Amino acid sequence: MKRNKMLTMLMLGMTASALLFTGCEMPGAGGEGKTAEEGKDSKDSKDSKDGDAEAMVTIVTHQYTATFDGYDITSEGSYQEIVLSGEAEEKYPELAKEIEKVNQDLEETEINEVKNFAYNSPENFSSYKDERTVEVVRFDDKLFSFIITDNYSFDGSEDNYPFVQCFNFDVKSGDSRGFTNLVDDNEKMADLIYEALIETYPDRKDDFSKPESEIYDYEGEPDEDPVALSNIKMDADANTLPCYVDKDGFKMKYLDYTFGYGAFDVTVSFDDCKDILNEKYIEDKTGSLDDIV
């Protein structure tokens, strides 16, 4: 079983020596030799794909590197900033406030990741790389939805799986909207997600359909749920399921580290779930993401 990121970093912290940051450099890059601030300033000239109008959303990449005197280690990372156009900020001021908070959190988290590797890891690894990417999946008069994927590696290893989060914001109120806000019948949707997962990944059916008691060797209940359904229900109840709604229906990332697999894309078709989706957030089908982002 492969370790997830949190466990890996915890183990590193427990075995860390008292290394201090010395000579730590954190230059940012907003693309082609520009500093992070210069990259942000260039947003006003960013046009949409057809070049006729400013894009409603621009994604700006910032890169960071840490060097530490006396240690032959490297640590680098990047995150993507979500920049709303002036028109979008004026039209959706509450949304703009929330997106600014997301951007600040992304920056602070990424810088800390880059620093903490060098603080915790010189005796274990020689390099660390962390990348946070943003994918906008919806922006209309109801919701602004995007996926943040965190990919990381130690010494170039590809054994780690991405950490995925999905954010949905009501564009008018700025309120965060999760699974319980998008769906009117949690239990029925959880069952539909599980069915779609098995249908999409039939080669994993045996693993996903095993009860946890069989996996971890304990006596389970007679009506015990399969491990995948159990995980889906747990995330649904906690409102932490990475999900969004678009014109095709309900979409989510199923995150499973039980067998070291990672993230799986699951779609419950609109026809199958339209009766249990929150009507307030059924997608407005006007507009194209290619023109918006």
Side-chain angles (χ1 to χ4, degrees):
M1 184 184 301
K2 296 180 174 64
R3 296 175 297 179
N4 64 29
K5 185 174 186 179
M6 291 183 180
L7 178 59
T8 302
M9 295 305 292
L10 178 60
M11 294 292 291
L12 293 176
M14 293 173 63
T15 59
S17 60
L19 171 64
L20 298 178
F21 294 115
T22 57
C24 179
E25 301 175 359
M26 303 297 290
E32 296 189 6
K34 297 180 180 179
T35 66
E37 288 303 314
E38 287 170 342
K40 290 169 69 175
D41 290 342
S42 67
K43 70 181 181 182
D44 293 332
S45 62
K46 180 70 175 178
D47 291 334
S48 66
K49 189 173 182 180
D50 60 13
D52 293 334
E54 181 185 6
M56 294 285 282
V57 184
T58 300
I59 306 299
V60 180
T61 299
H62 300 282
Q63 298 174 334
Y64 294 93
T65 303
T67 60
F68 299 81
D69 292 345
Y71 295 92
D72 186 21
I73 56 178
T74 60
S75 181
E76 59 182 326
S78 65
Y79 77 95
Q80 292 189 319
E81 177 187 11
I82 304 167
V83 180
L84 299 182
S85 68
E87 178 186 352
E89 288 183 343
E90 183 177 352
K91 188 175 183 180
Y92 306 118
E94 297 304 317
L95 173 65
K97 293 177 184 177
E98 296 305 315
I99 296 303
E100 182 59 28
K101 293 177 184 177
V102 171
N103 287 332
Q104 290 175 357
D105 182 66
L106 281 170
E107 181 176 12
E108 292 173 3
T109 303
E110 187 58 44
I111 292 175
N112 287 333
E113 285 279 359
V114 172
K115 288 182 177 180
N116 287 338
F117 163 75
Y119 182 83
N120 290 328
S121 308
E123 297 176 359
N124 301 280
F125 303 100
S126 62
S127 68
Y128 174 68
K129 186 174 184 179
D130 186 79
E131 297 178 323
R132 282 178 171 80
T133 58
V134 174
E135 178 189 4
V136 178
V137 292
R138 174 174 174 178
F139 192 6
D140 55 35
D141 284 337
K142 298 175 182 177
L143 284 176
F144 180 47
S145 303
F146 54 92
I147 298 169
I148 295 179
T149 303
D150 183 12
N151 287 288
Y152 66 100
S153 64
F154 296 91
D155 289 340
S157 171
E158 296 182 357
D159 293 337
N160 300 301
Y161 294 97
F163 179 67
V164 181
Q165 295 175 284
C166 188
F167 295 83
N168 303 280
F169 289 101
D170 185 301
V171 296
K172 295 181 177 66
S173 68
D175 293 336
S176 177
R177 307 281 83 182
F179 176 81
T180 57
N181 308 112
L182 302 177
V183 176
D184 289 335
D185 189 328
N186 294 4
E187 185 173 352
K188 186 174 182 180
M189 181 59 84
D191 289 334
L192 290 174
I193 292 170
Y194 175 69
E195 293 171 5
L197 176 69
I198 297 300
E199 182 178 347
T200 306
Y201 300 96
D203 57 321
R204 300 292 194 190
K205 180 178 180 179
D206 290 343
D207 292 326
F208 291 149
S209 60
K210 288 181 180 178
E212 285 190 351
S213 60
E214 180 179 334
I215 298 171
Y216 299 112
D217 193 23
Y218 65 86
E219 185 174 350
E221 299 296 330
D223 57 348
E224 181 182 2
D225 286 329
V227 61
L229 180 57
S230 176
N231 289 342
I232 291 168
K233 287 182 176 180
M234 180 174 61
D235 286 338
D237 290 341
N239 209 24
T240 57
L241 204 66
C243 61
Y244 62 97
V245 176
D246 68 7
K247 63 181 181 300
D248 297 322
F250 181 91
K251 294 187 176 181
M252 65 157 287
K253 297 278 187 178
Y254 173 66
L255 306 178
D256 178 32
Y257 299 106
T258 306
F259 307 98
Y261 292 154
F264 297 85
D265 292 303
V266 181
T267 298
V268 178
S269 71
F270 183 77
D271 288 340
D272 288 340
C273 67
K274 60 184 178 181
D275 294 335
I276 59 174
L277 290 177
N278 184 339
E279 290 186 1
K280 182 178 179 180
Y281 296 119
I282 293 178
E283 188 185 24
D284 177 357
K285 298 182 181 180
T286 61
S288 166
L289 284 177
D290 288 340
D291 297 328
I292 292 171
V293 183

